[in-house]
Amino acid sequence: ADSNVKDTVYIPEGVYTSETIILQPNVTLYLASGSIIKASNNGKSFKRISGVYNRRSFINCYKANGAKIKGRGIIEWLLP
Protein backbone atom coordinates (compact mmCIF):
# COMPACT_ATOMS: atom_id res chain seq x y z
CA ALA A 1 0.00 0.00 0.00
CA ASP A 2 1.19 3.52 -0.77
CA SER A 3 2.33 5.21 2.47
CA ASN A 4 0.09 8.20 1.68
CA VAL A 5 -3.06 6.12 1.18
CA LYS A 6 -5.18 4.84 4.04
CA ASP A 7 -7.00 1.70 2.95
CA THR A 8 -9.40 -0.59 4.78
CA VAL A 9 -9.73 -4.32 4.26
CA TYR A 10 -13.28 -5.16 5.36
CA ILE A 11 -14.04 -8.69 6.61
CA PRO A 12 -17.83 -9.28 6.58
CA GLU A 13 -19.79 -11.57 8.89
CA GLY A 14 -18.70 -15.18 8.48
CA VAL A 15 -16.04 -17.67 9.52
CA TYR A 16 -12.75 -17.63 7.64
CA THR A 17 -9.61 -19.77 7.97
CA SER A 18 -6.36 -18.09 7.04
CA GLU A 19 -2.65 -18.62 6.85
CA THR A 20 -0.32 -15.69 7.56
CA ILE A 21 -1.92 -12.24 7.43
CA ILE A 22 0.67 -9.59 6.60
CA LEU A 23 -0.46 -6.09 7.55
CA GLN A 24 0.76 -3.26 5.34
CA PRO A 25 1.55 0.35 6.37
CA ASN A 26 -1.52 2.58 6.85
CA VAL A 27 -3.97 -0.25 6.18
CA THR A 28 -6.82 -1.07 8.57
CA LEU A 29 -8.08 -4.64 8.90
CA TYR A 30 -11.72 -4.20 9.91
CA LEU A 31 -13.59 -7.21 11.29
CA ALA A 32 -17.37 -6.73 11.16
CA SER A 33 -19.53 -8.00 13.99
CA GLY A 34 -20.00 -11.74 13.52
CA SER A 35 -16.76 -12.24 11.61
CA ILE A 36 -14.23 -14.79 12.84
CA ILE A 37 -10.77 -15.24 11.37
CA LYS A 38 -9.27 -18.56 12.48
CA ALA A 39 -5.62 -19.47 12.10
CA SER A 40 -4.95 -22.47 9.90
CA ASN A 41 -4.41 -25.71 11.81
CA ASN A 42 -1.19 -26.21 9.86
CA GLY A 43 1.33 -24.12 11.80
CA LYS A 44 3.97 -24.86 9.16
CA SER A 45 1.90 -22.88 6.65
CA PHE A 46 2.66 -19.63 8.50
CA LYS A 47 5.34 -17.56 6.77
CA ARG A 48 8.67 -16.51 8.15
CA ILE A 49 9.12 -12.83 7.42
CA SER A 50 12.54 -11.64 6.25
CA GLY A 51 14.22 -9.41 8.82
CA VAL A 52 12.14 -10.75 11.70
CA TYR A 53 13.21 -13.19 14.38
CA ASN A 54 13.16 -16.75 13.12
CA ARG A 55 9.55 -17.55 14.01
CA ARG A 56 6.40 -18.12 12.08
CA SER A 57 3.47 -15.83 12.76
CA PHE A 58 -0.27 -15.73 12.11
CA ILE A 59 -0.52 -11.94 12.00
CA ASN A 60 2.57 -9.98 11.08
CA CYS A 61 2.89 -6.21 11.24
CA TYR A 62 6.65 -5.85 10.78
CA LYS A 63 7.40 -2.41 9.29
CA ALA A 64 3.67 -1.68 9.05
CA ASN A 65 3.53 1.79 10.58
CA GLY A 66 -0.01 3.05 10.90
CA ALA A 67 -1.57 -0.42 10.44
CA LYS A 68 -4.64 -1.11 12.59
CA ILE A 69 -7.01 -3.93 13.45
CA LYS A 70 -10.51 -2.70 14.32
CA GLY A 71 -14.09 -3.87 14.62
CA ARG A 72 -16.15 -6.30 16.68
CA GLY A 73 -15.02 -9.49 14.96
CA ILE A 74 -12.86 -12.20 16.49
CA ILE A 75 -9.32 -13.38 15.73
CA GLU A 76 -8.89 -16.96 16.88
CA TRP A 77 -5.56 -18.70 17.13
CA LEU A 78 -5.69 -21.91 19.11
CA LEU A 79 -2.40 -23.68 19.62
CA PRO A 80 -2.45 -27.48 19.50
Side-chain angles (χ1 to χ4, degrees):
D2 181 325
S3 63
N4 296 320
V5 175
K6 297 197 185 289
D7 292 319
T8 299
V9 176
Y10 179 85
I11 307 298
E13 180 179 345
V15 179
Y16 307 90
T17 300
S18 179
E19 295 181 357
T20 301
I21 296 170
I22 301 173
L23 298 178
Q24 299 296 314
N26 299 311
V27 172
T28 298
L29 179 63
Y30 185 88
L31 296 119
S33 181
S35 66
I36 301 173
I37 297 179
K38 295 183 175 190
S40 166
N41 289 333
N42 180 4
K44 292 183 180 181
S45 68
F46 298 125
K47 294 183 179 181
R48 295 179 195 265
I49 308 301
S50 178
V52 182
Y53 45 68
N54 194 23
R55 294 190 179 164
R56 298 175 191 272
S57 61
F58 175 39
I59 298 179
N60 187 292
C61 56
Y62 182 67
K63 293 188 177 181
N65 295 339
K68 297 178 178 83
I69 299 175
K70 292 182 170 185
R72 296 184 174 267
I74 296 170
I75 297 172
E76 184 177 287
W77 183 4
L78 302 175
L79 298 175

